[in-house]
Amino acid sequence: AHVLIMVHQKLTARTNRELHGIAQVKSVYAISGDYDLISMLQTETTEELSSVLDTIGNLEGVERTNSSLILETKFTR
């Protein structure tokens, strides 16, 4: 899944450290636009995904998230 994350600016470094500690978070990128970060998550089940999304949403500094489930990979380079 891709998860867009809006972060309280003063807590960005802390949020990044906490995201790094979540095993299912495979990468985090700083982005422009309404959200501050996009993270790539990998889970085995939708139940696990739901739990990880709850964990991310409850991190101090996270104001809002928006997630998209990847249904199929068309290609990667």
Side-chain angles (χ1 to χ4, degrees):
H2 293 161
V3 180
L4 295 166
I5 305 169
M6 185 179 292
V7 180
H8 187 275
Q9 293 304 308
K10 292 184 179 184
L11 297 174
T12 300
R14 178 182 179 157
T15 302
N16 288 339
R17 284 191 305 273
E18 291 182 1
L19 288 168
H20 189 269
I22 301 172
Q24 296 88 345
V25 176
K26 300 304 179 185
S27 57
V28 176
Y29 304 93
I31 58 172
S32 62
D34 293 334
Y35 288 85
D36 303 298
L37 304 171
I38 187 168
S39 63
M40 309 308 175
L41 275 61
Q42 185 175 2
T43 62
E44 295 294 324
T45 65
T46 55
E47 292 82 8
E48 182 184 8
L49 175 61
S50 180
S51 176
V52 174
L53 291 174
D54 287 344
T55 298
I56 292 171
N58 288 321
L59 293 177
E60 187 174 353
V62 173
E63 296 178 8
R64 184 176 357 162
T65 64
N66 185 335
S67 57
S68 297
L69 187 62
I70 299 169
L71 299 175
E72 178 183 358
T73 300
K74 298 298 186 179
F75 70 88
T76 59
R77 294 195 191 265

